[in-house]
Amino acid sequence: MEPTDEPGITGARFIAETLKGYGVTHVFLVMAILRRTLVELEALKINRIVTHSEKAAAYMADGYARISSKPGICMAQSVGAANLAAGLQDPYLAHSPVIAITGRKRPEAQYRNAYQEIIHSPMYAPVTKYNVNVDTIRQLPLMLCQAFREATTGAPRPVHLDMLGFAGEGVESGEIAAKVVIENQYTRYPAFRPEPEKEKIKEAAGKLQNAARPVIIAGGGAIASSAGPEIISLAELLSIPVATSNDAKGIIIDTHPLSVGVVGSYSCGYANQIVSEADAVLYIGSGVGDQVTDNWTIPNPDTPSIIQIDIDPTQLGRSYRSTFGLFGDAKVTLQRLLEVIRADDIKIDRNTDWKKRFQELVKNWKDSIRPLRNSDDKPIRPERLCKEITGILPSNAVLVADTGYSAVWTSAMIYLTHPGQRYLRAAGSLGWAFPASLGVKCAVPDRPVICFTGDGAFWYHLSELETANRWGIKTVTVVNNNSGFGQSIIGIDQAYRNDSGNRKEIFGFESIDFAKIAQDIGCLGIRVESPDMISAALKEALSADKPAVVDVVTDLNCKPPMSWSPPAE
């Protein structure tokens, strides 16, 4: 964008008006960054959520982006840039369109041991798809708009703008004669919906129609594309069971007769077995990484037909060399696939051994865990906690889960039974869920938001309870409080073997009542020590007029069921 004869506008006002025009309602930050811009944001009624750490700001922006499909904005000054970069790992892995803005000292201070300053660009390179320095206000109109384009096109991922001045003052304090231009196409993702060639669609349709034991595996890209209705239509048309990655849980409700749950390392006990027996696997918006494939053992690499739909052509066949690739947006590609199949006037009812097989495996597994879900044990079993959450989860709720055992428990044991429910989980960063849930609530204030986290994860960003209370961000945080890193116990026991020593020293914590901490900060805090208290506590928390913490005392020795893996060769 070249300068025009338009009246001058400050960089601060230009940034603020651009964010407003792109539909941004909240920015998440640690001071001090873009101070004049923050003043302009207030005038434009954009909420400025000041957090207690840069990583929390990044996670809040990530939660905001994932639930709204709009870029989430996080910011930090020069010295906080490294912490902010660390927080972008999770949105990068989860393909979330976060825009990170930092400040850096002027060139004359670089390479001279400047106070609080290191070079930022190398830290952001691994966790962004667009990583640039904004050196002058003349660059601002081009680069700020490009940030939104980059964040919302192709496979979305974070971008980074490093503004001149330790607080960005070198860019925001100047004036430029330029219009604020808003490109509506890039206000949310996907900005474009490419579709494959018709002949490719026909070939993929034939592979699915001719398969005896097909399976659909939906990934996070299917959620990003809003492809749920098309997935269900295809599954019902051809009687194909649907498994999901952890990120796509909820794209088909858990009570649907064709739903076979979450597959991979953090999976339901039967889903891996079903996929391993398939003769055709259709991946939709999945990176086909090690977790969803249980280290690339499921499906078997020799599976006769593996089809992959992805908006990033470089992902097609990355993990399975024999893949038949369809480059395109998941929703549109499935619409074209459905058109071809319906034109063939084929509706397949696999009321055969395959349908009986996968439905029997689902039933047997759910029967096997029912006693654990109904357990009255004290300390409380996490399976019972998950059952109680299932029972009270509102039909439009957003469930936000941490990584590790929190992801396993919620993926396998909390059933989503309404199409309006949504599930988000950490892409791997422990402690992500609580601040991310605050960002989710900022984006969808009228929906109930429930965070499921362990005590080990909750400790990371406990201070953001003050942020939630200060801003009235009314989430419900359920803490699976077993006073330790439960997921570490197996590995620690294996490391010790038969040696004596203090094993608990490296996985155990002090017993803490998080409800009391929440109360001291001004939130609602409820301590739950008996299974019969869970439901009432959750209902009270959901109806509260303030942020709530439900601290549930659970058994450290409980482990989720192990995922099924194929026999070792």
Side-chain angles (χ1 to χ4, degrees):
M1 183 184 299
E2 293 297 323
T4 70
D5 293 330
E6 296 293 319
I9 183 173
T10 65
R13 186 70 184 185
F14 190 95
I15 294 169
E17 288 190 10
T18 299
L19 296 186
K20 181 71 173 181
Y22 277 91
V24 174
T25 60
H26 295 72
V27 297
F28 306 93
L29 67 141
V30 173
M31 287 297 289
I33 179 69
L34 296 178
R35 294 185 180 102
R36 288 300 311 166
T37 302
L38 294 175
V39 175
E40 300 287 0
L41 291 176
E42 181 183 20
L44 295 175
K45 301 189 184 309
I46 294 177
N47 295 299
R48 306 154 302 169
I49 310 297
V50 176
T51 68
H52 294 284
S53 77
E54 292 84 3
K55 280 183 72 177
Y59 293 164
M60 290 182 197
D62 185 13
Y64 176 100
R66 291 199 210 182
I67 195 63
S68 69
S69 300
K70 300 190 299 184
I73 312 297
C74 56
M75 307 192 299
Q77 66 165 302
S78 168
V79 69
N83 293 334
L84 196 68
L88 293 184
Q89 175 177 277
D90 217 86
Y92 182 85
L93 294 172
H95 292 283
S96 181
V98 171
I99 297 177
I101 300 174
T102 57
R104 74 183 188 290
K105 290 192 175 179
R106 296 176 180 273
E108 60 268 25
Q110 300 292 331
Y111 312 107
R112 297 173 62 191
N113 303 315
Y115 177 56
Q116 296 186 337
E117 181 78 358
I118 58 176
I119 303 301
H120 299 158
S121 183
M123 296 185 292
Y124 283 85
V127 292
T128 59
K129 63 186 290 192
Y130 179 69
N131 175 28
V132 296
N133 291 344
V134 184
D135 295 314
T136 72
I137 193 172
R138 288 169 64 89
Q139 293 175 292
L140 183 62
L142 289 170
M143 289 183 169
L144 189 54
C145 287
Q146 187 64 21
F148 281 90
R149 293 189 201 102
E150 296 276 356
T152 58
T153 55
R157 270 182 161 151
V159 303
H160 173 228
L161 301 177
D162 203 13
M163 302 277 187
L164 184 67
F166 84 97
E169 71 280 357
V171 173
E172 71 169 357
S173 62
E175 282 196 7
I176 187 171
K179 290 181 180 179
V180 173
V181 176
I182 306 302
E183 298 172 303
N184 289 322
Q185 186 164 5
Y186 306 108
T187 57
R188 60 192 306 115
Y189 70 90
F192 296 100
R193 291 187 180 272
E195 58 185 82
E197 304 92 330
K198 192 169 184 179
E199 290 306 311
K200 288 271 192 181
I201 293 286
K202 288 181 178 178
E203 190 171 349
K207 292 177 180 292
L208 291 173
Q209 290 167 338
N210 294 327
R213 301 181 307 281
V215 170
I216 291 170
I217 300 179
I223 291 281
S225 179
S226 302
E230 288 76 17
I231 288 173
I232 295 170
S233 293
L234 179 63
E236 292 176 344
L237 188 63
L238 299 182
S239 295
I240 303 177
V242 179
T244 74
S245 69
N246 296 92
D247 292 328
K249 177 179 170 65
I251 205 163
I252 181 172
I253 59 174
D254 288 309
T255 51
H256 193 288
L258 293 175
S259 172
V260 296
V262 170
V263 68
S265 307
Y266 290 179
S267 67
C268 299
Y270 52 84
N272 288 3
Q273 193 169 355
I274 292 169
V275 174
S276 74
E277 296 176 11
D279 64 352
V281 177
L282 172 60
Y283 281 102
I284 304 171
S286 169
V288 195
D290 60 337
Q291 189 172 67
V292 74
T293 61
D294 196 25
N295 289 305
W296 299 287
T297 62
I298 299 166
N300 188 305
D302 296 327
T303 299
S305 182
I306 296 177
I307 306 166
Q308 186 179 356
I309 299 171
D310 205 281
I311 201 167
D312 181 355
T314 67
Q315 297 301 319
L316 300 174
R318 182 181 288 266
S319 293
Y320 287 86
R321 290 182 296 168
S322 59
T323 295
F324 181 83
L326 292 173
F327 164 51
D329 168 74
K331 187 178 188 72
V332 173
T333 300
L334 289 172
Q335 288 172 348
R336 300 296 171 265
L337 192 59
L338 284 163
E339 288 169 4
V340 168
I341 294 171
R342 285 168 176 155
D344 291 340
D345 198 25
I346 293 177
K347 180 176 174 66
I348 299 176
D349 182 7
R350 297 181 202 276
N351 206 3
T352 60
D353 291 342
W354 178 233
K355 187 173 184 179
K356 294 175 183 176
R357 170 67 173 160
F358 71 73
Q359 290 187 338
E360 181 181 33
L361 286 171
V362 172
K363 180 180 182 301
N364 288 345
W365 188 79
K366 288 186 175 180
D367 287 345
S368 72
I369 63 172
R370 188 170 291 113
L372 300 177
R373 289 169 62 81
N374 292 327
S375 170
D376 290 324
D377 288 355
K378 299 178 188 177
I380 297 165
R381 292 197 65 98
E383 297 95 336
R384 175 65 184 270
L385 173 58
C386 290
K387 178 199 171 186
E388 298 296 337
I389 293 174
T390 299
I392 61 88
L393 204 62
S395 60
N396 64 337
V398 184
L399 178 64
V400 184
D402 227 295
T403 190
Y405 271 3
S406 290
V408 186
W409 290 122
T410 54
S411 292
M413 300 286 178
I414 295 180
Y415 302 154
L416 302 185
T417 58
H418 296 275
Q421 292 170 337
R422 179 75 187 276
Y423 177 81
L424 301 173
R425 68 108 188 191
S429 301
L430 192 64
W432 172 88
F434 173 52
S437 72
L438 302 184
V440 169
K441 186 67 174 178
C442 288
V444 288
D446 296 329
R447 295 180 66 176
V449 177
I450 296 94
C451 169
F452 186 106
T453 187
D455 53 307
F458 195 42
W459 277 119
Y460 271 75
H461 301 291
L462 182 63
S463 58
E464 302 307 335
L465 275 175
E466 190 278 333
T467 306
N469 187 57
R470 175 170 21 107
W471 277 94
I473 305 173
K474 294 184 287 187
T475 58
V476 174
T477 302
V478 179
V479 184
N480 178 31
N481 188 355
N482 56 19
S483 300
F485 281 136
Q487 191 171 13
S488 299
I489 294 175
I490 294 175
I492 292 169
D493 284 344
Q494 290 172 344
Y496 267 93
R497 299 178 184 174
N498 296 322
D499 296 340
S500 61
N502 188 355
R503 303 180 184 209
K504 194 170 183 181
E505 187 176 85
I506 50 178
F507 67 77
F509 305 136
E510 295 291 328
S511 178
I512 299 295
D513 186 338
F514 289 106
K516 288 183 178 178
I517 296 174
Q519 291 165 8
D520 286 345
I521 290 174
C523 303
L524 174 66
I526 307 173
R527 179 84 161 177
V528 174
E529 298 178 331
S530 174
D532 58 5
M533 299 171 60
I534 301 173
S535 180
L538 293 172
K539 290 176 182 176
E540 181 181 353
L542 282 167
S543 63
D545 62 354
K546 60 177 69 176
V549 172
V550 180
D551 186 32
V552 184
V553 181
T554 56
D555 189 343
L556 181 61
N557 296 310
C558 289
K559 297 181 287 291
M562 295 292 290
S563 60
W564 182 93
S565 296
E569 295 183 1

